[in-house]
Amino acid sequence: MSARTVRRFGLEAYSAIPRRRRLPELAVQSCPCRLFANSLPTRSGHNKWSTIKHTKFANDAVKNMTAMKHSRAIIAAAKIGGPDPASNARLYSAIEAAKKASVTKKTIESALRRAAGIGGNDGKALENVTYEAIGPGGSAIVIEALTDNKARTVTSVRTCLTKQACQLGPALFFFDRKGVIRIAKRTIPDATEATPAVIEFDVIFEHAIEAGAEDIEPLGPDEEAEGPEAELPVYEILVDPVDTAKVAQEMKDSYGYDIKEMGIEYVPKKDSLVELSDPQGETMRKVVELLNEIDDVQDVYTNAS
């Protein structure tokens, strides 16, 4: 018996129909139209929490990967040069980098304890490994990694290079190993009319040389600064690797400069710089991006300009 028949003859006639052939009474009373189903519609499940949940999980995964990467760098630096950041430039740089990446104090302290062999050690020894590669346009690439499984890491590195038509090959002779300190020019706190508010490059250069620097050059503007200082450049100081911590401390304590970054890096020789075309530059960007996605990779250097 259809709903149309029920509406035509009324509920009394409907009641006379055997129960097994009746339509649901609720549907008859509430639906004036032809019935196809009497179940409530279901929703797709795309609610606010679903969006928040997936976004949160993705953000947590990125944070965990970042924390793990910085922890491994701190552990390696402490094991190589000792647990004191004042005398270990690499450790100082690793801790500062972790802080700027918003790694928690608890995570940093845990990494230092692991380096000292105090709890939480998984028993796997971490090794520093360096890979050399030939990139687009004959450019050179140096990859520094920290790993407990060299076979796994070299496979990951080779896969990233192969995807962009690059390959492992000799490249270190295009670079010098240098201590690198990046400082931001700052205003003089007690400036007067007789004292310029902004320190000139010649003054910065003189301070760096007196502190023990080998060379200094301006980079781009300070992206973290605010107000007028946002237009002032960051300066890169090159020093002998063993003097990195000493020079950085001198520039900070004696002259009041803000230490942005500090570490020991592979710096391309000026006569080895390779200028890439736009397509080659895009390939290089993709290579560096893929390499940095590998958990074990700590730093990537190139002589491409």
Side-chain angles (χ1 to χ4, degrees):
M1 181 70 67
S2 68
R4 182 179 300 176
T5 304
V6 173
R7 288 196 301 271
R8 182 177 178 182
F9 294 103
L11 279 177
E12 291 184 4
Y14 179 72
S15 300
I17 300 171
R19 188 176 297 276
R20 66 178 181 274
R21 298 183 60 190
R22 294 180 188 176
L23 291 173
E25 293 184 10
L26 179 61
V28 173
Q29 295 175 14
S30 63
C31 182
C33 59
R34 185 183 179 96
L35 299 180
F36 292 96
N38 62 0
S39 59
L40 293 175
T42 56
R43 301 189 180 276
S44 63
H46 297 296
N47 54 36
K48 184 177 179 181
W49 166 239
S50 295
T51 304
I52 294 174
K53 177 176 65 175
H54 293 306
T55 302
K56 182 178 183 300
F57 288 167
N59 291 340
D60 287 347
V62 172
K63 288 181 180 179
N64 291 338
M65 186 170 64
T66 300
M68 181 179 68
K69 202 164 189 174
H70 285 287
S71 293
R72 291 160 70 92
I74 291 172
I75 292 169
K79 287 185 175 181
I80 293 172
D84 184 8
S87 59
N88 185 344
R90 183 167 182 167
L91 177 59
Y92 177 89
S93 178
I95 292 175
E96 289 299 309
K99 290 178 179 178
K100 289 179 180 178
S102 300
V103 177
T104 63
K105 181 179 179 181
K106 181 179 179 180
T107 301
I108 294 174
E109 292 176 347
S110 175
L112 290 172
R113 287 196 299 270
R114 287 182 61 191
I118 305 174
N121 198 329
D122 54 12
K124 295 182 179 180
L126 296 173
E127 294 183 70
N128 286 287
V129 290
T130 303
Y131 302 105
E132 308 169 61
I134 304 301
S139 57
I141 303 173
V142 174
I143 305 121
E144 285 191 309
L146 183 64
T147 180
D148 56 11
N149 186 328
K150 291 193 287 186
R152 178 194 65 218
T153 305
V154 71
T155 299
S156 299
V157 169
R158 185 182 289 113
T159 300
C160 290
L161 294 171
T162 303
K163 285 182 179 179
Q164 299 300 325
C166 304
Q167 60 184 356
L168 294 173
L172 277 177
F173 56 87
F174 291 114
F175 299 83
D176 289 321
R177 190 73 164 160
K178 293 289 184 182
V180 178
I181 305 166
R182 296 181 181 91
I183 61 172
K185 189 164 65 171
R186 287 290 180 262
T187 54
I188 302 174
D190 56 348
T192 63
E193 293 182 359
T195 305
V198 177
I199 303 173
E200 300 297 332
F201 172 76
D202 290 344
V203 178
I204 295 178
F205 183 83
E206 182 180 347
H207 289 165
I209 296 301
E210 288 178 355
E214 296 179 358
D215 194 10
I216 179 173
E217 61 180 38
L219 302 178
D222 183 0
E223 296 179 354
E224 297 181 4
E226 298 179 354
E229 293 185 358
E231 300 179 1
L232 302 179
V234 174
Y235 288 84
E236 184 175 81
I237 299 175
L238 300 181
V239 301
D240 187 286
V242 298
D243 295 331
T244 306
K246 179 179 72 69
V247 174
Q249 201 68 35
E250 182 75 9
M251 294 297 292
K252 181 179 180 180
D253 294 344
S254 300
Y255 305 113
Y257 293 106
D258 179 30
I259 306 297
K260 307 295 294 180
E261 293 177 292
M262 182 182 79
I264 300 173
E265 303 178 2
Y266 285 101
V267 179
K269 298 176 182 177
K270 292 183 178 180
D271 60 354
S272 73
L273 295 176
V274 176
E275 186 174 351
L276 301 180
S277 64
D278 289 344
Q280 291 171 340
E282 178 63 16
T283 299
M284 177 62 78
R285 184 192 66 78
K286 291 179 180 178
V287 170
V288 174
E289 190 175 88
L290 287 171
L291 289 170
N292 280 321
E293 289 177 357
I294 301 174
D295 291 343
D296 298 335
V297 170
Q298 299 296 308
D299 292 295
V300 180
Y301 309 99
T302 175
N303 67 343
S305 61

